[in-house]
Amino acid sequence: MNKQRLIPLIVATALFMENMDSTVISTSLPAIAGDIGTSPLTLKLAITSYLLSLAVFIPASGWTADRFGARLVFSTAIAVFMAGSIGCALSGSVTDFVIARTLQGVGGAMMTPVGRLVLLRSIDKSALVNAMAWVTVPALVGPVIGPPLGGFITTYFSWHWIFLINIPIGLLGIFMALRVIDPIKSENPERFDLYGMVLAGIGLAGIAFGLSVAGLNLLPWSVVATLVAIGSISMALYVIHARRTASPVLDFTLLHLPTMRASIVGGFMFRLGIGALPFLLPLLMQIGFGLSPFKSGLVTFGTAVGAMGMKTLAARLIRTFGFRNLMTVNAVISSVFLAACALFTVTTPLLLIVIILVVGGFFRSLEFTAINTVAYAEVEPPQMSRATTLVSVNQQLAISAGVAVGAFCVESTLWIRHMQELTAEAFAPAFLVVGVISAMSALLFWRMPDDAGHEISGRKAVEISSRKGAAKEAVKAASQGTQDARDQKLG
């Protein structure tokens, strides 16, 4: 297998390990809490500590990759993530578990953006859509199969294996990365922006942490609002600082590029749906419909099936319709299937639910592939590390915001309707709201240039071919017209 196929699989495997691990823990919290002698509510600190370390260390990933080389940093990030996984399996107290999850977050913060950087520096732009299709799948599949897999392992084996299964995957990933990926690094790494790193870290941690715990009911809303406010103020100070430095850790000047701006702003709105879906759907299935965690996981697995079915068609569809047309229309279609979850009731046949989730998963995965790819269409090679950092930060905030919006909508519905307990009816407004927000991203995608990303999608070659065909037809028609005129004169 050549590098054009092998490198995306290496990156995808590492990202799958991270995405799955961050969600697989949710169904296993009661068992873990009982084993180490604490409550599940207290153990939710393990989830939030992971998100916190992600938010703090992602801004440093781009500079680190430039300074030490993307291959070395990517391999080291996998090793750090494995060390955190071993620490989780060996934990005997809440403190041990939180420290181990924080270490996992440090590894994950480097794995995602640096993995994309490895891809961008190793794969030719003409093959980038296919490569991104493989890398997009883990982000969609991991959160879906994580909960049922966690429930299965915890029920039939032991919760420790949730973390220990990362070890052989990680070792294989490190071996293949060192063997296949070229040791590319920047010849002139920029000066590290420590002050900007502190401001961005506090800002992102406050916003992402605050939005994430809003969906966990771990802290009062007043505390959540304070965290988000502190984070927002710190980010505002960072924006002022970034304008005065030549090498900011988060380079917002990249937003001047139309394709990057559409991917960041429009992608943020669209990602709210995928951030809310893994949070809302299991609750609807388990609390609203009374399904067991394992059966609920089997139903929601439909979104993963649809996502995997997309990867073989993504490049062809984008080449045929172009990024702007496809992303605009597909954003609306995907949002319709997301909002359709509001129609699910206890009497809705499970087969119909699965079909809607499978088809919706296909269109959402197609949209994410396009969003992730078009972001780098106009980015020059020296800016790639900054671009991957900015995209990764945006994705993390969008997913956290999706959980917060979904939780807020459910709680607001309970308050407005004076409902005393959570039922299936309380989830419908939340699905409609996140569906509408996701659909609004189509306006951002439509504002992209008509030829956006043509050099990546291959659309330009299709248009040139069609123009040649049209030119031939025009020449043929003109020749026929000239011949007809001559015949008339001779007549």
Side-chain angles (χ1 to χ4, degrees):
M1 189 180 292
N2 59 34
K3 289 186 178 182
Q4 300 286 328
R5 293 283 183 88
L6 201 53
I7 290 176
L9 287 176
I10 294 171
V11 176
T13 302
L15 300 188
F16 174 77
M17 179 174 65
E18 179 195 350
N19 279 279
M20 186 184 69
D21 196 87
S22 62
T23 54
V24 73
I25 188 177
S26 59
T27 52
S28 307
L29 278 179
I32 300 173
D35 202 22
I36 64 177
T38 187
S39 68
L41 185 63
T42 304
L43 204 58
K44 284 185 178 181
L45 286 170
I47 296 177
T48 53
S49 63
Y50 178 84
L51 295 172
L52 190 62
S53 59
L54 270 182
V56 169
F57 289 100
I58 282 179
S61 60
W63 179 87
T64 306
D66 282 344
R67 176 66 178 81
F68 300 103
R71 184 182 72 172
L72 177 61
V73 174
F74 182 66
S75 303
T76 304
I78 297 176
V80 171
F81 191 86
M82 288 168 52
S85 298
I86 295 173
C88 288
L90 299 178
S91 295
S93 66
V94 176
T95 303
D96 295 342
F97 200 74
V98 168
I99 292 173
R101 285 292 287 172
T102 302
L103 186 61
Q104 274 190 315
V106 175
M110 296 291 169
M111 252 197 313
T112 301
V114 177
R116 281 203 185 90
L117 184 60
V118 165
L119 202 67
L120 292 167
R121 288 181 174 174
S122 306
I123 303 296
D124 187 77
K125 277 196 172 185
S126 61
L128 195 56
V129 175
N130 276 324
M132 279 296 183
W134 283 99
V135 175
T136 299
V137 170
L140 294 162
V141 174
V144 175
I145 73 170
L149 181 63
F152 179 80
I153 292 175
T154 303
T155 301
Y156 297 104
F157 296 96
S158 169
W159 65 266
H160 303 83
W161 287 103
I162 290 174
F163 303 102
L164 294 178
I165 58 175
N166 291 331
I167 307 308
I169 299 174
L171 289 174
L172 179 62
I174 293 173
F175 172 76
M176 293 303 295
L178 294 176
R179 184 180 178 86
V180 176
I181 299 171
D182 296 325
I184 303 172
K185 65 179 180 179
S186 176
E187 296 180 359
N188 298 304
E190 298 172 333
R191 181 173 172 271
F192 184 59
D193 181 18
L194 180 60
Y195 180 60
M197 171 67 185
V198 173
L199 286 177
I202 294 173
L204 293 172
I207 296 173
F209 183 74
L211 293 176
S212 299
V213 296
L216 297 174
N217 293 322
L218 191 62
L219 298 172
W221 279 100
S222 58
V223 177
V224 171
T226 302
L227 287 171
V228 174
I230 292 173
S232 300
I233 293 171
S234 184
M235 281 305 297
L237 294 174
Y238 171 77
V239 171
I240 296 172
H241 162 76
R243 292 175 178 175
R244 302 172 180 173
T245 182
S247 55
V249 290
L250 294 177
D251 189 1
F252 292 119
T253 61
L254 290 170
L255 296 178
H256 293 308
L257 303 174
T259 48
M260 176 62 81
R261 183 168 61 251
S263 178
I264 293 293
V265 182
F268 182 90
M269 297 172 66
F270 186 81
R271 287 180 194 281
L272 275 172
I274 199 63
L277 190 64
F279 169 74
L280 294 172
L281 204 54
L283 288 178
L284 174 64
M285 295 293 161
Q286 295 176 36
I287 298 177
F289 297 168
L291 298 180
S292 67
F294 187 61
K295 287 183 178 179
S296 166
L298 292 178
V299 173
T300 56
F301 183 70
T303 60
V305 174
M308 289 183 286
M310 172 280 313
K311 68 181 185 299
T312 57
L313 297 174
R316 189 180 305 171
L317 290 171
I318 293 173
R319 184 170 59 249
T320 302
F321 300 103
F323 277 105
R324 190 186 75 160
N325 296 334
L326 182 137
M327 291 171 69
T328 302
V329 175
N330 193 56
V332 177
I333 296 174
S334 302
S335 302
V336 168
F337 278 97
L338 178 60
C341 297
L343 302 176
F344 294 165
T345 65
V346 179
T347 58
T348 304
L350 286 180
L351 179 60
L352 178 60
I353 293 177
V354 170
I355 290 173
I356 291 175
L357 293 178
V358 168
V359 179
F362 173 87
F363 287 109
R364 280 191 296 274
S365 184
L366 176 61
E367 190 75 6
F368 281 127
T369 298
I371 291 172
N372 289 337
T373 308
V374 80
Y376 308 104
E378 300 174 274
V379 179
E380 298 298 328
Q383 299 174 303
M384 281 298 183
S385 58
R386 294 185 186 181
T388 56
T389 301
L390 189 62
V391 169
S392 296
V393 165
N394 182 65
Q395 291 177 1
Q396 185 61 41
L397 289 179
I399 293 173
S400 299
V403 173
V405 170
F408 179 77
C409 290
V410 171
E411 293 198 14
S412 298
T413 302
L414 293 174
W415 179 73
I416 292 172
R417 296 181 180 179
H418 305 289
M419 300 170 67
Q420 299 300 318
E421 59 181 19
L422 198 58
T423 61
E425 290 74 21
F427 291 91
F431 283 115
L432 291 175
V433 169
V434 295
V436 170
I437 294 174
S438 293
M440 290 171 62
S441 65
L443 299 175
L444 279 300
F445 300 141
W446 180 250
R447 295 181 64 182
M448 286 193 300
D450 185 49
D451 61 348
H454 275 20
E455 65 276 10
I456 295 177
S457 66
R459 175 73 173 168
K460 184 180 291 185
V462 173
E463 288 189 353
I464 291 173
S465 177
S466 64
R467 286 171 187 167
K468 286 181 178 179
K472 288 180 180 179
E473 290 297 326
V475 171
K476 184 178 179 181
S479 300
Q480 185 63 43
T482 303
Q483 184 64 42
D484 291 344
R486 287 174 180 172
D487 292 343
Q488 288 176 7
K489 285 181 180 180
L490 291 174

